[in-house]
Amino acid sequence: MAAFRELGLAPWLVEQARQMGLSRPTPVQASCIPPILQGRDCLGCAKTGSGKTAAFVLPVLQVLSEDPYGIFCLVLTPTRELAYQIAEQFRVLGKPLGLKDCVVVGGLDMVAQALELSRKPHVVIATPGRLADHLRSSNTFSLKKLKFLVLDEADRLLEQGCADFIADLEVILEAVPARRQTLLFSATLTDTLNELKSLAMNRPFFWEAASEVRTVDELDQRYLLVPEAVKDAYLVHLIQTFQDEHEDWSIIIFTKTCKECQILNMMLRKFSFPSVALHSMMKQRQRFAALAKFKSSIFKILIATDVAARGLDIPTVQVVINHNTPGLPKIYIHRVGRTARAGRNGISITMVTQYDIHLVHAIEEEIKLKLQEFSVEEKLVLDILTHVNVTRRECEIELEYMDFDEKKEINKRKQMILEGKDPDLEEKRKAELAKIKKKNNKFREKVQQTLQEKKQLQMKRKLQKKMERRNKLHAKEEK
Ligand SMILES: Nc1ncnc2c1ncn2[C@@H]1O[C@H](COP(=O)(O)OP(=O)(O)OP(=O)(O)O)[C@@H](O)[C@H]1O
């Protein structure tokens, strides 16, 4: 494979990459960097941990170095932690340029961000919601001269669902120039390829790793069949075994909900495991602190919701445990991709209950690989079952006392204030909307009831007429 030099990168950038441990380009870098340097749009689809970030950071920095100005490049990404991780790569690789970057994410002070944006950083790395809020509310910065628009985890940004970014993306796309270079990257681009292609229209270059299997070879993928009621005992047993057998270890456990994440963290701590939680109901500063503690191996276990499923690059992670089977194969691919990165080995264990077997089939079909069973000595699990279940119940009660759901409401209100919204006004608006909805529903019900009554009346009349006709006929016959 060609060296970085041969891809058209300047010597200072090649040297900077080398200092970061990037001595030879990975396939996605070797394939995407030259067309990006030629000015083409690019859609890059490569497996998790294959170096997609540097595949866009390096060429952007090269073009920036030829004519530096702000704001030159905007990178959009779905999570706040990922935004900081990408900013870090820009900072390190762009150091000789004196690169100025600005991270614009929710949960942090908007005024400070607005000030930073007004200072024209070269690169802005943002989550769509917060950047759209800035664009709606201030005119202290402009994206009109932008040269590069990058969508990292592009398929997630274009996905529609409960937490979609579509409305915010529309605001952002209005603010960026039509003449720009658009770079789109993800490990799972194919589902949203058509939508993505409409964003990248400048002689787009599409690159996908030529491989049937969608996950990396270095990943040992297992499943563990467990009845729902004993899942936690299996989890404690798995962690204990791992801790006993390895010296340098670190695990990410994915859960379905924030509450489950919180309970599991409390429970594992009661068993003296070094764990931290990461979910969207935590304050942003707590989220960053938790991740930092995990990254520096002070805590060996990260329990997270899907907020950590994509993009996070923590080389020490050897094990991913899915406490629930992901409902979508795509989510599975990203979750297990937190281990076995950049050629390292890793193992993933997905807990599967009797109700999840169809989900495993869907995953296997998508990744084009059969998961292997993970065997466990059941006797050892049974030995701790009661202890684990009692501990879990204690944690659930503790969490009820901590008003976890109430905190959720308070956090929501705080978030609104940070976003410049009035929570009381929002509450009123919501209540009014609910009222209108209720009124509409009542009206609809009334209409339906009237229609039903009318129908019944018509049927009654028809029946009456029929009976009258029959009576008349009988009367005639009797005559
Ligand atoms: N050319 C290279 N040589 C060696 N290591 C590399 C190279 N390029 C990137 N890496 C390393 O590989 C790791 C994964 O890279 P990166 O986070 O960009 O992966 P990704 O493809 O974006 O993964 P994901 O799909 O999970 O977001 C990082 O630690 C990065 O430093």
Side-chain angles (χ1 to χ4, degrees):
M1 193 170 299
F4 276 119
R5 237 176 331 102
E6 292 157 39
L7 303 179
L9 291 176
W12 70 269
L13 206 45
V14 176
E15 174 53 23
Q16 204 60 18
R18 195 192 59 78
Q19 282 190 16
M20 261 188 78
L22 322 184
S23 42
R24 293 199 74 76
T26 62
V28 63
Q29 293 160 0
S31 309
C32 296
I33 291 175
I36 297 174
L37 289 176
Q38 284 160 20
R40 293 176 67 179
D41 285 355
C42 178
L43 292 97
C45 181
K47 293 178 186 179
T48 52
S50 60
K52 292 185 288 293
T53 319
F56 64 80
V57 172
L58 288 168
V60 166
L61 286 175
Q62 162 110 358
V63 184
L64 174 71
S65 72
E66 289 157 9
D67 177 20
Y69 65 84
I71 297 172
F72 181 82
C73 171
L74 168 64
V75 183
L76 296 175
T77 188
T79 68
R80 301 163 184 183
E81 286 75 15
L82 210 43
Y84 276 90
Q85 187 179 293
I86 295 167
E88 185 72 22
Q89 288 233 16
F90 267 108
R91 244 167 258 165
V92 180
L93 286 166
K95 193 148 191 281
L97 278 184
L99 184 90
K100 270 198 290 176
D101 69 274
C102 172
V103 180
V104 177
V105 296
L108 298 178
D109 186 24
M110 241 183 127
V111 179
Q113 285 173 0
L115 208 67
E116 257 193 88
L117 281 167
S118 69
R119 293 193 189 121
K120 293 191 176 175
H122 298 116
V123 181
V124 174
I125 304 106
T127 48
R130 177 52 67 91
L131 184 68
D133 280 347
H134 277 285
L135 288 167
R136 286 185 195 109
S137 65
S138 80
N139 54 2
T140 54
F141 69 101
S142 163
L143 298 173
K144 280 286 171 232
K145 285 195 184 144
L146 198 92
K147 171 96 177 82
F148 280 102
L149 172 66
V150 184
L151 269 65
D152 187 41
E153 307 294 346
D155 57 325
R156 173 69 191 96
L157 293 174
L158 290 175
E159 230 168 45
Q160 283 179 327
C162 53
D164 69 40
F165 296 108
I166 301 294
D168 297 322
L169 272 186
E170 271 170 20
V171 174
I172 296 167
L173 288 173
E174 289 254 309
V176 298
R179 250 177 77 92
R180 58 164 196 260
Q181 244 180 288
T182 309
L183 315 179
L184 311 164
F185 284 90
S186 177
T188 48
L189 275 187
T190 27
D191 290 354
T192 38
L193 204 56
N194 286 334
E195 289 93 323
L196 293 166
K197 274 185 177 157
S198 67
L199 274 177
M201 294 192 291
N202 166 24
R203 295 187 295 137
F205 171 80
F206 176 65
W207 189 80
E208 189 173 16
S211 164
E212 165 83 335
V213 178
R214 312 262 323 261
T215 45
V216 296
D217 296 343
E218 294 80 3
L219 178 65
D220 181 7
Q221 301 180 68
R222 305 295 186 108
Y223 71 90
L224 182 58
L225 259 179
V226 284
E228 184 72 47
V230 295
K231 246 183 180 183
D232 295 336
Y234 273 87
L235 182 70
V236 170
H237 172 72
L238 281 178
I239 300 172
Q240 188 64 56
T241 315
F242 205 77
Q243 183 172 274
D244 294 344
E245 289 175 1
H246 297 81
E247 253 181 37
D248 189 20
W249 58 286
S250 107
I251 305 178
I252 298 186
I253 301 164
F254 283 106
T255 63
K256 195 174 178 182
T257 63
C258 299
K259 200 168 182 173
E260 187 66 15
C261 184
Q262 192 76 12
I263 290 173
L264 281 187
N265 188 33
M266 290 162 74
M267 189 187 83
L268 292 186
R269 291 245 180 138
K270 283 193 194 265
F271 282 96
S272 302
F273 288 123
S275 67
V276 274
L278 178 64
H279 57 74
S280 59
M281 269 176 66
M282 289 162 66
K283 287 188 193 127
Q284 192 49 47
R285 288 190 197 288
Q286 289 175 330
R287 275 167 67 166
F288 286 143
L291 195 59
K293 282 179 200 160
F294 180 64
K295 274 186 167 174
S296 59
S297 291
I298 300 172
F299 288 80
K300 306 276 193 187
I301 303 168
L302 180 74
I303 309 169
T305 56
D306 282 319
V307 77
R310 282 182 180 250
L312 288 186
D313 181 53
I314 306 162
T316 50
V317 176
Q318 294 145 352
V319 186
V320 168
I321 299 177
N322 284 320
H323 188 255
N324 72 305
T325 314
L328 290 175
K330 201 197 252 202
I331 296 182
Y332 172 87
I333 292 174
H334 288 281
R335 277 186 180 187
V336 298
R338 293 320 97 212
T339 185
R341 297 175 69 73
R344 292 181 192 86
N345 290 321
I347 179 167
S348 67
I349 304 166
T350 300
M351 291 195 169
V352 181
T353 69
Q354 62 273 38
Y355 311 109
D356 308 321
I357 314 251
H358 64 289
L359 298 177
V360 176
H361 291 318
I363 289 167
E364 289 178 335
E365 203 168 296
E366 178 78 20
I367 64 170
K368 308 273 185 293
L369 197 83
K370 284 249 169 265
L371 307 191
Q372 299 300 310
E373 186 161 8
F374 189 84
S375 61
V376 161
E377 232 182 285
E378 315 235 310
K379 157 98 184 45
L380 297 176
V381 178
L382 285 177
D383 286 348
I384 57 168
L385 182 61
T386 314
H387 186 190
V388 173
N389 282 353
V390 168
T391 313
R392 180 181 172 110
R393 188 65 203 123
E394 276 170 19
C395 296
E396 283 171 350
I397 293 167
E398 267 175 46
L399 200 68
E400 264 164 44
Y401 275 114
M402 283 159 67
D403 294 327
F404 192 71
D405 294 326
E406 204 174 290
K407 267 197 187 143
K408 190 173 173 180
E409 276 312 306
I410 296 169
N411 276 353
K412 252 195 211 162
R413 287 175 73 84
K414 277 189 191 160
Q415 186 60 34
M416 277 184 202
I417 295 169
L418 275 170
E419 284 165 8
K421 293 173 190 161
D422 179 343
D424 291 327
L425 216 68
E426 290 292 317
E427 197 87 350
K428 249 188 185 169
R429 201 173 60 87
K430 242 187 182 172
E432 253 164 49
L433 278 175
K435 230 177 173 178
I436 294 170
K437 211 171 165 188
K438 204 171 162 191
K439 221 170 155 186
N440 283 348
N441 281 349
K442 257 192 183 163
F443 178 69
R444 212 170 293 141
E445 269 169 29
K446 219 172 173 184
V447 170
Q448 225 132 42
Q449 202 182 334
T450 317
L451 283 174
Q452 195 91 18
E453 281 169 5
K454 261 189 178 171
K455 218 175 176 181
Q456 274 176 356
L457 206 72
Q458 274 174 349
M459 279 195 7
K460 221 171 166 183
R461 277 194 195 135
K462 256 189 194 168
L463 217 68
Q464 259 172 352
K465 271 187 187 164
K466 212 174 175 183
M467 278 171 62
E468 277 169 15
R469 270 204 304 271
R470 201 186 298 153
N471 288 344
K472 267 185 197 168
L473 214 69
H474 279 310
K476 249 188 196 173
E477 277 171 3
E478 273 169 19
K479 267 188 200 167

